[in-house]
Amino acid sequence: MKQTPYYFYDLDLLNETLNCLKSNIKGTNFKVHYAVKANNNTEILQLIANEGLGADCVSGGEIRWALEAGFHSSEIVFAGVGKTDEEITYALENNVGMIHCESLQEILVINELAGELNTFANIALRLNPNVNPLTHEKISTGLKENKFGLTSLEFEELIGIYPTLSNLRIVGMHFHVGSQIQDMSVYVDLCDRINELAPVFTTCIGPLEYLNVGGGLGIDYFEPEENPIPDFDGYFEAFKTCLELDPSVPVHFELGRSIVAQCGSLHTKVLYIKRSEEKNFAVLDAGMTELLRPALYNAYHKMERLDGLETGEEFLYDIVGPICESSDCFGKDILLPELKRGDIITIRSCGAYAESMSLNYNGREKVPSILHSTLNLVEKG
Ligand SMILES: *Cc1c(COP(=O)(O)O)cnc(C)c1O
């Protein structure tokens, strides 16, 4: 039997997802950047780079991974609320296409570092649209109270200083309202805000040459078989119909979860069944170190027994990992066919924010990934 746990990636589904995405943006001036933080598995990055997407990176390390995987530097955007001087220098030296800026101080530092390198930076301002993403509070980013984006106070100040910044040019605006968004009215609200802010940008800064609307399209964690491909049609349609910009302005997107989440699952073995008066526990050999989302956000992931045999009775289990934390629990009172030691459980929708969030905590080694496609079978240690 295979060593468990391991991540299993269905590359056929990933290809199908990318084809659906690409058919939606064909013939438009939309450009999609893959959010590397969702999954930085080398083969997955290479596959996505080969499909012609750009990359959205949030650290110098991610920029390096993206370049190594074959993304073109001009199609890399660099975001993040706390970029270090070293990361900014690295981005400038490698000519990344755009830097998304979130504070006045950061903009001054970029101007100075670009001056030292005798170069010129193209930047976009991350603005906080104050749009409610109607999602989990820990993954909402576009509300006034969140740490992200340039504040209006600093925006005012920037307008005064901008003419003195000789090593950068502000070419556009960037937004990102949150993650796991399934209600398309959120994107309609975002478009309305953008339509209001675009003339302000033009008046205060200059011509709008770049718009980045972020990512955050959600997926169906409850029915991954029924809905393996997210609602790209509804998502892009919202922007096609609601944005009222000069059609020559390119619109950039940064999608992570919606591209990779459903193609991955985590396969793990039942180590022990423990019974109590109240309930049964199934103790797995994978834990929060391999899939952090339930512990971090109370996230739900569908779980199934892998053998697929029909069984009559089902039982309630608390499905827990081996890590010394009470939050190391994948679900409480989960109805599953009878489990016994050695059974394999597949935890679905683990292609995004699982492997990339894995931890060494409790002395855990990084687990392998298996990439499956009908064309070839790749195993990586
Ligand atoms: C995380 C993040 C994304 C990707 O979010 P998804 O929900 O995975 O699509 C895009 N843009 C920014 C700025 C982010 O922080």
PDB file of all heavy atoms in Angstrom, residues 29-30 173 175 190-202 208-213 239-252:
ATOM      1  N   ASN A  29     -10.130  41.939 -23.159  1.00  0.00           N
ATOM      2  CA  ASN A  29      -8.827  42.464 -22.720  1.00  0.00           C
ATOM      3  C   ASN A  29      -8.560  42.077 -21.262  1.00  0.00           C
ATOM      4  O   ASN A  29      -7.938  42.802 -20.521  1.00  0.00           O
ATOM      5  CB  ASN A  29      -8.756  43.983 -22.909  1.00  0.00           C
ATOM      6  CG  ASN A  29      -9.891  44.674 -22.183  1.00  0.00           C
ATOM      7  OD1 ASN A  29     -10.802  44.020 -21.670  1.00  0.00           O
ATOM      8  ND2 ASN A  29      -9.841  45.988 -22.106  1.00  0.00           N
ATOM      9  N   PHE A  30      -9.073  40.885 -20.871  1.00  0.00           N
ATOM     10  CA  PHE A  30      -8.855  40.364 -19.532  1.00  0.00           C
ATOM     11  C   PHE A  30      -7.563  39.545 -19.498  1.00  0.00           C
ATOM     12  O   PHE A  30      -7.271  38.799 -20.440  1.00  0.00           O
ATOM     13  CB  PHE A  30     -10.014  39.441 -19.105  1.00  0.00           C
ATOM     14  CG  PHE A  30     -11.329  40.143 -18.890  1.00  0.00           C
ATOM     15  CD1 PHE A  30     -12.458  39.412 -18.540  1.00  0.00           C
ATOM     16  CD2 PHE A  30     -11.455  41.524 -19.022  1.00  0.00           C
ATOM     17  CE1 PHE A  30     -13.688  40.028 -18.335  1.00  0.00           C
ATOM     18  CE2 PHE A  30     -12.677  42.159 -18.818  1.00  0.00           C
ATOM     19  CZ  PHE A  30     -13.792  41.399 -18.476  1.00  0.00           C
ATOM     20  N   MET A 173      -4.888  50.988 -10.685  1.00  0.00           N
ATOM     21  CA  MET A 173      -5.486  50.669  -9.389  1.00  0.00           C
ATOM     22  C   MET A 173      -5.603  49.156  -9.228  1.00  0.00           C
ATOM     23  O   MET A 173      -5.824  48.417 -10.199  1.00  0.00           O
ATOM     24  CB  MET A 173      -6.906  51.239  -9.303  1.00  0.00           C
ATOM     25  CG  MET A 173      -7.008  52.722  -9.574  1.00  0.00           C
ATOM     26  SD  MET A 173      -8.669  53.332  -9.189  1.00  0.00           S
ATOM     27  CE  MET A 173      -9.646  52.677 -10.543  1.00  0.00           C
ATOM     28  N   PHE A 175      -7.449  46.126  -6.583  1.00  0.00           N
ATOM     29  CA  PHE A 175      -8.442  45.820  -5.541  1.00  0.00           C
ATOM     30  C   PHE A 175      -8.413  44.329  -5.250  1.00  0.00           C
ATOM     31  O   PHE A 175      -8.043  43.529  -6.108  1.00  0.00           O
ATOM     32  CB  PHE A 175      -9.866  46.175  -6.022  1.00  0.00           C
ATOM     33  CG  PHE A 175     -10.021  47.619  -6.405  1.00  0.00           C
ATOM     34  CD1 PHE A 175      -9.722  48.043  -7.688  1.00  0.00           C
ATOM     35  CD2 PHE A 175     -10.462  48.545  -5.482  1.00  0.00           C
ATOM     36  CE1 PHE A 175      -9.856  49.377  -8.045  1.00  0.00           C
ATOM     37  CE2 PHE A 175     -10.598  49.880  -5.825  1.00  0.00           C
ATOM     38  CZ  PHE A 175     -10.299  50.293  -7.109  1.00  0.00           C
ATOM     39  N   LEU A 190     -18.256  45.675  -6.360  1.00  0.00           N
ATOM     40  CA  LEU A 190     -16.866  46.083  -6.605  1.00  0.00           C
ATOM     41  C   LEU A 190     -16.782  46.906  -7.900  1.00  0.00           C
ATOM     42  O   LEU A 190     -16.131  47.961  -7.936  1.00  0.00           O
ATOM     43  CB  LEU A 190     -15.946  44.853  -6.683  1.00  0.00           C
ATOM     44  CG  LEU A 190     -14.497  45.138  -7.068  1.00  0.00           C
ATOM     45  CD1 LEU A 190     -13.805  46.034  -6.041  1.00  0.00           C
ATOM     46  CD2 LEU A 190     -13.703  43.828  -7.217  1.00  0.00           C
ATOM     47  N   CYS A 191     -17.461  46.446  -8.945  1.00  0.00           N
ATOM     48  CA  CYS A 191     -17.444  47.185 -10.224  1.00  0.00           C
ATOM     49  C   CYS A 191     -18.020  48.588 -10.035  1.00  0.00           C
ATOM     50  O   CYS A 191     -17.489  49.563 -10.575  1.00  0.00           O
ATOM     51  CB  CYS A 191     -18.239  46.438 -11.292  1.00  0.00           C
ATOM     52  SG  CYS A 191     -17.427  44.938 -11.854  1.00  0.00           S
ATOM     53  N   ASP A 192     -19.104  48.692  -9.267  1.00  0.00           N
ATOM     54  CA  ASP A 192     -19.702  50.011  -9.022  1.00  0.00           C
ATOM     55  C   ASP A 192     -18.679  50.938  -8.362  1.00  0.00           C
ATOM     56  O   ASP A 192     -18.559  52.106  -8.732  1.00  0.00           O
ATOM     57  CB  ASP A 192     -20.938  49.890  -8.113  1.00  0.00           C
ATOM     58  CG  ASP A 192     -22.110  49.208  -8.816  1.00  0.00           C
ATOM     59  OD1 ASP A 192     -22.046  49.075 -10.058  1.00  0.00           O
ATOM     60  OD2 ASP A 192     -23.068  48.796  -8.128  1.00  0.00           O
ATOM     61  N   ARG A 193     -17.952  50.422  -7.376  1.00  0.00           N
ATOM     62  CA  ARG A 193     -16.928  51.225  -6.686  1.00  0.00           C
ATOM     63  C   ARG A 193     -15.825  51.634  -7.662  1.00  0.00           C
ATOM     64  O   ARG A 193     -15.347  52.768  -7.655  1.00  0.00           O
ATOM     65  CB  ARG A 193     -16.293  50.433  -5.534  1.00  0.00           C
ATOM     66  CG  ARG A 193     -17.014  50.504  -4.233  1.00  0.00           C
ATOM     67  CD  ARG A 193     -17.241  51.920  -3.721  1.00  0.00           C
ATOM     68  NE  ARG A 193     -16.107  52.484  -2.987  1.00  0.00           N
ATOM     69  CZ  ARG A 193     -15.841  53.789  -2.896  1.00  0.00           C
ATOM     70  NH1 ARG A 193     -16.595  54.664  -3.527  1.00  0.00           N
ATOM     71  NH2 ARG A 193     -14.818  54.215  -2.197  1.00  0.00           N
ATOM     72  N   ILE A 194     -15.417  50.685  -8.511  1.00  0.00           N
ATOM     73  CA  ILE A 194     -14.356  50.979  -9.476  1.00  0.00           C
ATOM     74  C   ILE A 194     -14.822  52.075 -10.446  1.00  0.00           C
ATOM     75  O   ILE A 194     -14.073  53.004 -10.759  1.00  0.00           O
ATOM     76  CB  ILE A 194     -13.932  49.700 -10.234  1.00  0.00           C
ATOM     77  CG1 ILE A 194     -13.241  48.733  -9.256  1.00  0.00           C
ATOM     78  CG2 ILE A 194     -13.018  50.034 -11.416  1.00  0.00           C
ATOM     79  CD1 ILE A 194     -12.962  47.358  -9.812  1.00  0.00           C
ATOM     80  N   ASN A 195     -16.079  51.967 -10.881  1.00  0.00           N
ATOM     81  CA  ASN A 195     -16.616  52.992 -11.790  1.00  0.00           C
ATOM     82  C   ASN A 195     -16.598  54.376 -11.149  1.00  0.00           C
ATOM     83  O   ASN A 195     -16.388  55.378 -11.833  1.00  0.00           O
ATOM     84  CB  ASN A 195     -18.041  52.635 -12.217  1.00  0.00           C
ATOM     85  CG  ASN A 195     -18.083  51.365 -13.060  1.00  0.00           C
ATOM     86  OD1 ASN A 195     -17.092  51.015 -13.696  1.00  0.00           O
ATOM     87  ND2 ASN A 195     -19.211  50.683 -13.049  1.00  0.00           N
ATOM     88  N   GLU A 196     -16.804  54.413  -9.811  1.00  0.00           N
ATOM     89  CA  GLU A 196     -16.754  55.697  -9.103  1.00  0.00           C
ATOM     90  C   GLU A 196     -15.324  56.202  -8.946  1.00  0.00           C
ATOM     91  O   GLU A 196     -15.053  57.398  -9.025  1.00  0.00           O
ATOM     92  CB  GLU A 196     -17.324  55.546  -7.680  1.00  0.00           C
ATOM     93  CG  GLU A 196     -18.830  55.448  -7.593  1.00  0.00           C
ATOM     94  CD  GLU A 196     -19.281  54.987  -6.192  1.00  0.00           C
ATOM     95  OE1 GLU A 196     -18.478  55.040  -5.238  1.00  0.00           O
ATOM     96  OE2 GLU A 196     -20.430  54.557  -6.080  1.00  0.00           O
ATOM     97  N   LEU A 197     -14.402  55.252  -8.674  1.00  0.00           N
ATOM     98  CA  LEU A 197     -13.032  55.650  -8.345  1.00  0.00           C
ATOM     99  C   LEU A 197     -12.192  55.963  -9.582  1.00  0.00           C
ATOM    100  O   LEU A 197     -11.237  56.747  -9.498  1.00  0.00           O
ATOM    101  CB  LEU A 197     -12.345  54.562  -7.512  1.00  0.00           C
ATOM    102  CG  LEU A 197     -12.855  54.445  -6.066  1.00  0.00           C
ATOM    103  CD1 LEU A 197     -12.360  53.155  -5.410  1.00  0.00           C
ATOM    104  CD2 LEU A 197     -12.414  55.651  -5.234  1.00  0.00           C
ATOM    105  N   ALA A 198     -12.532  55.382 -10.729  1.00  0.00           N
ATOM    106  CA  ALA A 198     -11.705  55.576 -11.928  1.00  0.00           C
ATOM    107  C   ALA A 198     -11.555  57.058 -12.301  1.00  0.00           C
ATOM    108  O   ALA A 198     -10.433  57.522 -12.536  1.00  0.00           O
ATOM    109  CB  ALA A 198     -12.263  54.755 -13.093  1.00  0.00           C
ATOM    110  N   PRO A 199     -12.658  57.830 -12.333  1.00  0.00           N
ATOM    111  CA  PRO A 199     -12.486  59.263 -12.655  1.00  0.00           C
ATOM    112  C   PRO A 199     -11.670  60.016 -11.602  1.00  0.00           C
ATOM    113  O   PRO A 199     -10.947  60.957 -11.953  1.00  0.00           O
ATOM    114  CB  PRO A 199     -13.920  59.805 -12.704  1.00  0.00           C
ATOM    115  CG  PRO A 199     -14.843  58.676 -12.497  1.00  0.00           C
ATOM    116  CD  PRO A 199     -14.073  57.450 -12.193  1.00  0.00           C
ATOM    117  N   VAL A 200     -11.777  59.598 -10.330  1.00  0.00           N
ATOM    118  CA  VAL A 200     -10.981  60.222  -9.265  1.00  0.00           C
ATOM    119  C   VAL A 200      -9.499  59.977  -9.532  1.00  0.00           C
ATOM    120  O   VAL A 200      -8.669  60.888  -9.434  1.00  0.00           O
ATOM    121  CB  VAL A 200     -11.380  59.663  -7.873  1.00  0.00           C
ATOM    122  CG1 VAL A 200     -10.536  60.287  -6.772  1.00  0.00           C
ATOM    123  CG2 VAL A 200     -12.867  59.859  -7.615  1.00  0.00           C
ATOM    124  N   PHE A 201      -9.188  58.733  -9.894  1.00  0.00           N
ATOM    125  CA  PHE A 201      -7.794  58.382 -10.197  1.00  0.00           C
ATOM    126  C   PHE A 201      -7.279  59.248 -11.347  1.00  0.00           C
ATOM    127  O   PHE A 201      -6.196  59.827 -11.279  1.00  0.00           O
ATOM    128  CB  PHE A 201      -7.699  56.892 -10.564  1.00  0.00           C
ATOM    129  CG  PHE A 201      -6.296  56.432 -10.869  1.00  0.00           C
ATOM    130  CD1 PHE A 201      -5.499  55.870  -9.873  1.00  0.00           C
ATOM    131  CD2 PHE A 201      -5.754  56.548 -12.147  1.00  0.00           C
ATOM    132  CE1 PHE A 201      -4.206  55.456 -10.135  1.00  0.00           C
ATOM    133  CE2 PHE A 201      -4.454  56.142 -12.419  1.00  0.00           C
ATOM    134  CZ  PHE A 201      -3.683  55.588 -11.407  1.00  0.00           C
ATOM    135  N   THR A 202      -8.077  59.333 -12.410  1.00  0.00           N
ATOM    136  CA  THR A 202      -7.656  60.087 -13.595  1.00  0.00           C
ATOM    137  C   THR A 202      -7.404  61.555 -13.244  1.00  0.00           C
ATOM    138  O   THR A 202      -6.412  62.142 -13.673  1.00  0.00           O
ATOM    139  CB  THR A 202      -8.732  59.984 -14.696  1.00  0.00           C
ATOM    140  OG1 THR A 202      -9.094  58.609 -14.816  1.00  0.00           O
ATOM    141  CG2 THR A 202      -8.227  60.472 -16.022  1.00  0.00           C
ATOM    142  N   LEU A 208      -5.639  56.223 -16.495  1.00  0.00           N
ATOM    143  CA  LEU A 208      -5.740  54.861 -15.972  1.00  0.00           C
ATOM    144  C   LEU A 208      -5.340  53.887 -17.082  1.00  0.00           C
ATOM    145  O   LEU A 208      -6.023  53.773 -18.098  1.00  0.00           O
ATOM    146  CB  LEU A 208      -7.173  54.593 -15.502  1.00  0.00           C
ATOM    147  CG  LEU A 208      -7.428  53.242 -14.838  1.00  0.00           C
ATOM    148  CD1 LEU A 208      -6.738  53.146 -13.488  1.00  0.00           C
ATOM    149  CD2 LEU A 208      -8.926  52.996 -14.668  1.00  0.00           C
ATOM    150  N   GLU A 209      -4.209  53.203 -16.868  1.00  0.00           N
ATOM    151  CA  GLU A 209      -3.711  52.285 -17.899  1.00  0.00           C
ATOM    152  C   GLU A 209      -3.750  50.841 -17.448  1.00  0.00           C
ATOM    153  O   GLU A 209      -3.376  49.931 -18.204  1.00  0.00           O
ATOM    154  CB  GLU A 209      -2.260  52.652 -18.259  1.00  0.00           C
ATOM    155  CG  GLU A 209      -2.148  54.008 -18.919  1.00  0.00           C
ATOM    156  CD  GLU A 209      -0.716  54.534 -18.925  1.00  0.00           C
ATOM    157  OE1 GLU A 209       0.221  53.726 -18.815  1.00  0.00           O
ATOM    158  OE2 GLU A 209      -0.558  55.765 -19.026  1.00  0.00           O
ATOM    159  N   TYR A 210      -4.132  50.621 -16.208  1.00  0.00           N
ATOM    160  CA  TYR A 210      -4.074  49.277 -15.627  1.00  0.00           C
ATOM    161  C   TYR A 210      -5.130  49.185 -14.542  1.00  0.00           C
ATOM    162  O   TYR A 210      -5.242  50.074 -13.701  1.00  0.00           O
ATOM    163  CB  TYR A 210      -2.678  49.074 -15.026  1.00  0.00           C
ATOM    164  CG  TYR A 210      -2.468  47.814 -14.203  1.00  0.00           C
ATOM    165  CD1 TYR A 210      -1.959  46.659 -14.787  1.00  0.00           C
ATOM    166  CD2 TYR A 210      -2.733  47.795 -12.831  1.00  0.00           C
ATOM    167  CE1 TYR A 210      -1.719  45.524 -14.034  1.00  0.00           C
ATOM    168  CE2 TYR A 210      -2.505  46.655 -12.072  1.00  0.00           C
ATOM    169  CZ  TYR A 210      -1.992  45.519 -12.684  1.00  0.00           C
ATOM    170  OH  TYR A 210      -1.756  44.399 -11.924  1.00  0.00           O
ATOM    171  N   LEU A 211      -5.925  48.122 -14.612  1.00  0.00           N
ATOM    172  CA  LEU A 211      -6.884  47.863 -13.531  1.00  0.00           C
ATOM    173  C   LEU A 211      -6.731  46.408 -13.117  1.00  0.00           C
ATOM    174  O   LEU A 211      -6.722  45.519 -13.977  1.00  0.00           O
ATOM    175  CB  LEU A 211      -8.324  48.114 -14.005  1.00  0.00           C
ATOM    176  CG  LEU A 211      -9.394  47.710 -12.983  1.00  0.00           C
ATOM    177  CD1 LEU A 211      -9.373  48.616 -11.765  1.00  0.00           C
ATOM    178  CD2 LEU A 211     -10.783  47.707 -13.621  1.00  0.00           C
ATOM    179  N   ASN A 212      -6.588  46.171 -11.828  1.00  0.00           N
ATOM    180  CA  ASN A 212      -6.509  44.798 -11.322  1.00  0.00           C
ATOM    181  C   ASN A 212      -7.606  44.631 -10.283  1.00  0.00           C
ATOM    182  O   ASN A 212      -7.636  45.350  -9.282  1.00  0.00           O
ATOM    183  CB  ASN A 212      -5.127  44.526 -10.729  1.00  0.00           C
ATOM    184  CG  ASN A 212      -4.934  43.056 -10.381  1.00  0.00           C
ATOM    185  OD1 ASN A 212      -5.807  42.445  -9.790  1.00  0.00           O
ATOM    186  ND2 ASN A 212      -3.792  42.505 -10.767  1.00  0.00           N
ATOM    187  N   VAL A 213      -8.514  43.686 -10.544  1.00  0.00           N
ATOM    188  CA  VAL A 213      -9.682  43.531  -9.678  1.00  0.00           C
ATOM    189  C   VAL A 213      -9.513  42.420  -8.647  1.00  0.00           C
ATOM    190  O   VAL A 213     -10.459  42.063  -7.943  1.00  0.00           O
ATOM    191  CB  VAL A 213     -10.962  43.292 -10.511  1.00  0.00           C
ATOM    192  CG1 VAL A 213     -11.246  44.491 -11.400  1.00  0.00           C
ATOM    193  CG2 VAL A 213     -10.862  42.017 -11.333  1.00  0.00           C
ATOM    194  N   PHE A 239     -18.067  41.296 -14.551  1.00  0.00           N
ATOM    195  CA  PHE A 239     -17.130  42.354 -14.949  1.00  0.00           C
ATOM    196  C   PHE A 239     -17.413  42.841 -16.370  1.00  0.00           C
ATOM    197  O   PHE A 239     -17.296  44.030 -16.664  1.00  0.00           O
ATOM    198  CB  PHE A 239     -15.684  41.864 -14.818  1.00  0.00           C
ATOM    199  CG  PHE A 239     -15.282  41.638 -13.384  1.00  0.00           C
ATOM    200  CD1 PHE A 239     -15.375  40.375 -12.815  1.00  0.00           C
ATOM    201  CD2 PHE A 239     -14.866  42.692 -12.586  1.00  0.00           C
ATOM    202  CE1 PHE A 239     -15.039  40.164 -11.482  1.00  0.00           C
ATOM    203  CE2 PHE A 239     -14.519  42.499 -11.254  1.00  0.00           C
ATOM    204  CZ  PHE A 239     -14.611  41.226 -10.702  1.00  0.00           C
ATOM    205  N   LYS A 240     -17.789  41.884 -17.260  1.00  0.00           N
ATOM    206  CA  LYS A 240     -18.089  42.283 -18.644  1.00  0.00           C
ATOM    207  C   LYS A 240     -19.247  43.255 -18.682  1.00  0.00           C
ATOM    208  O   LYS A 240     -19.251  44.209 -19.451  1.00  0.00           O
ATOM    209  CB  LYS A 240     -18.424  41.045 -19.502  1.00  0.00           C
ATOM    210  CG  LYS A 240     -17.204  40.207 -19.875  1.00  0.00           C
ATOM    211  CD  LYS A 240     -17.617  38.921 -20.598  1.00  0.00           C
ATOM    212  CE  LYS A 240     -16.433  37.975 -20.734  1.00  0.00           C
ATOM    213  NZ  LYS A 240     -16.820  36.608 -21.134  1.00  0.00           N
ATOM    214  N   THR A 241     -20.264  43.006 -17.843  1.00  0.00           N
ATOM    215  CA  THR A 241     -21.450  43.860 -17.924  1.00  0.00           C
ATOM    216  C   THR A 241     -21.358  45.105 -17.038  1.00  0.00           C
ATOM    217  O   THR A 241     -21.939  46.128 -17.386  1.00  0.00           O
ATOM    218  CB  THR A 241     -22.741  43.087 -17.549  1.00  0.00           C
ATOM    219  OG1 THR A 241     -22.492  42.352 -16.362  1.00  0.00           O
ATOM    220  CG2 THR A 241     -23.170  42.145 -18.626  1.00  0.00           C
ATOM    221  N   CYS A 242     -20.641  45.030 -15.922  1.00  0.00           N
ATOM    222  CA  CYS A 242     -20.726  46.128 -14.946  1.00  0.00           C
ATOM    223  C   CYS A 242     -19.591  47.141 -14.998  1.00  0.00           C
ATOM    224  O   CYS A 242     -19.766  48.266 -14.521  1.00  0.00           O
ATOM    225  CB  CYS A 242     -20.832  45.581 -13.538  1.00  0.00           C
ATOM    226  SG  CYS A 242     -22.254  44.509 -13.342  1.00  0.00           S
ATOM    227  N   LEU A 243     -18.441  46.770 -15.521  1.00  0.00           N
ATOM    228  CA  LEU A 243     -17.355  47.753 -15.580  1.00  0.00           C
ATOM    229  C   LEU A 243     -17.641  48.755 -16.689  1.00  0.00           C
ATOM    230  O   LEU A 243     -17.944  48.364 -17.821  1.00  0.00           O
ATOM    231  CB  LEU A 243     -16.001  47.065 -15.850  1.00  0.00           C
ATOM    232  CG  LEU A 243     -15.240  46.482 -14.662  1.00  0.00           C
ATOM    233  CD1 LEU A 243     -13.934  45.869 -15.150  1.00  0.00           C
ATOM    234  CD2 LEU A 243     -14.986  47.508 -13.569  1.00  0.00           C
ATOM    235  N   GLU A 244     -17.535  50.037 -16.347  1.00  0.00           N
ATOM    236  CA  GLU A 244     -17.802  51.077 -17.354  1.00  0.00           C
ATOM    237  C   GLU A 244     -16.533  51.857 -17.634  1.00  0.00           C
ATOM    238  O   GLU A 244     -16.468  53.066 -17.424  1.00  0.00           O
ATOM    239  CB  GLU A 244     -18.886  52.021 -16.834  1.00  0.00           C
ATOM    240  CG  GLU A 244     -20.243  51.356 -16.697  1.00  0.00           C
ATOM    241  CD  GLU A 244     -21.190  52.139 -15.798  1.00  0.00           C
ATOM    242  OE1 GLU A 244     -20.798  53.223 -15.315  1.00  0.00           O
ATOM    243  OE2 GLU A 244     -22.312  51.665 -15.579  1.00  0.00           O
ATOM    244  N   LEU A 245     -15.498  51.158 -18.065  1.00  0.00           N
ATOM    245  CA  LEU A 245     -14.229  51.827 -18.331  1.00  0.00           C
ATOM    246  C   LEU A 245     -14.007  51.914 -19.820  1.00  0.00           C
ATOM    247  O   LEU A 245     -14.650  51.208 -20.603  1.00  0.00           O
ATOM    248  CB  LEU A 245     -13.078  51.032 -17.716  1.00  0.00           C
ATOM    249  CG  LEU A 245     -13.081  50.847 -16.201  1.00  0.00           C
ATOM    250  CD1 LEU A 245     -11.879  50.033 -15.790  1.00  0.00           C
ATOM    251  CD2 LEU A 245     -13.079  52.196 -15.500  1.00  0.00           C
ATOM    252  N   ASP A 246     -13.084  52.768 -20.201  1.00  0.00           N
ATOM    253  CA  ASP A 246     -12.616  52.779 -21.570  1.00  0.00           C
ATOM    254  C   ASP A 246     -12.163  51.352 -21.915  1.00  0.00           C
ATOM    255  O   ASP A 246     -11.347  50.766 -21.205  1.00  0.00           O
ATOM    256  CB  ASP A 246     -11.414  53.759 -21.637  1.00  0.00           C
ATOM    257  CG  ASP A 246     -10.858  53.869 -23.041  1.00  0.00           C
ATOM    258  OD1 ASP A 246     -10.903  52.865 -23.795  1.00  0.00           O
ATOM    259  OD2 ASP A 246     -10.373  54.955 -23.379  1.00  0.00           O
ATOM    260  N   PRO A 247     -12.718  50.757 -22.967  1.00  0.00           N
ATOM    261  CA  PRO A 247     -12.409  49.347 -23.233  1.00  0.00           C
ATOM    262  C   PRO A 247     -10.923  49.089 -23.533  1.00  0.00           C
ATOM    263  O   PRO A 247     -10.498  47.931 -23.564  1.00  0.00           O
ATOM    264  CB  PRO A 247     -13.295  49.003 -24.435  1.00  0.00           C
ATOM    265  CG  PRO A 247     -13.791  50.290 -24.963  1.00  0.00           C
ATOM    266  CD  PRO A 247     -13.689  51.324 -23.889  1.00  0.00           C
ATOM    267  N   SER A 248     -10.156  50.152 -23.710  1.00  0.00           N
ATOM    268  CA  SER A 248      -8.727  49.912 -23.966  1.00  0.00           C
ATOM    269  C   SER A 248      -7.954  49.634 -22.671  1.00  0.00           C
ATOM    270  O   SER A 248      -6.803  49.202 -22.711  1.00  0.00           O
ATOM    271  CB  SER A 248      -8.117  51.123 -24.674  1.00  0.00           C
ATOM    272  OG  SER A 248      -8.077  52.217 -23.782  1.00  0.00           O
ATOM    273  N   VAL A 249      -8.567  49.871 -21.516  1.00  0.00           N
ATOM    274  CA  VAL A 249      -7.868  49.616 -20.247  1.00  0.00           C
ATOM    275  C   VAL A 249      -7.856  48.111 -19.976  1.00  0.00           C
ATOM    276  O   VAL A 249      -8.919  47.491 -19.861  1.00  0.00           O
ATOM    277  CB  VAL A 249      -8.573  50.337 -19.062  1.00  0.00           C
ATOM    278  CG1 VAL A 249      -7.844  50.045 -17.748  1.00  0.00           C
ATOM    279  CG2 VAL A 249      -8.659  51.827 -19.309  1.00  0.00           C
ATOM    280  N   PRO A 250      -6.685  47.494 -19.888  1.00  0.00           N
ATOM    281  CA  PRO A 250      -6.654  46.054 -19.610  1.00  0.00           C
ATOM    282  C   PRO A 250      -7.122  45.767 -18.186  1.00  0.00           C
ATOM    283  O   PRO A 250      -6.809  46.505 -17.259  1.00  0.00           O
ATOM    284  CB  PRO A 250      -5.183  45.678 -19.784  1.00  0.00           C
ATOM    285  CG  PRO A 250      -4.430  46.945 -19.599  1.00  0.00           C
ATOM    286  CD  PRO A 250      -5.331  48.056 -20.027  1.00  0.00           C
ATOM    287  N   VAL A 251      -7.904  44.696 -18.053  1.00  0.00           N
ATOM    288  CA  VAL A 251      -8.408  44.310 -16.732  1.00  0.00           C
ATOM    289  C   VAL A 251      -7.712  43.018 -16.308  1.00  0.00           C
ATOM    290  O   VAL A 251      -7.779  42.005 -17.009  1.00  0.00           O
ATOM    291  CB  VAL A 251      -9.941  44.103 -16.764  1.00  0.00           C
ATOM    292  CG1 VAL A 251     -10.447  43.767 -15.363  1.00  0.00           C
ATOM    293  CG2 VAL A 251     -10.643  45.347 -17.297  1.00  0.00           C
ATOM    294  N   HIS A 252      -7.029  43.101 -15.172  1.00  0.00           N
ATOM    295  CA  HIS A 252      -6.275  41.960 -14.664  1.00  0.00           C
ATOM    296  C   HIS A 252      -7.022  41.312 -13.502  1.00  0.00           C
ATOM    297  O   HIS A 252      -7.681  41.993 -12.728  1.00  0.00           O
ATOM    298  CB  HIS A 252      -4.892  42.412 -14.187  1.00  0.00           C
ATOM    299  CG  HIS A 252      -4.040  42.966 -15.295  1.00  0.00           C
ATOM    300  ND1 HIS A 252      -2.954  42.284 -15.802  1.00  0.00           N
ATOM    301  CD2 HIS A 252      -4.132  44.116 -16.001  1.00  0.00           C
ATOM    302  CE1 HIS A 252      -2.407  43.009 -16.773  1.00  0.00           C
ATOM    303  NE2 HIS A 252      -3.103  44.127 -16.915  1.00  0.00           N
TER     304      HIS A 252
END
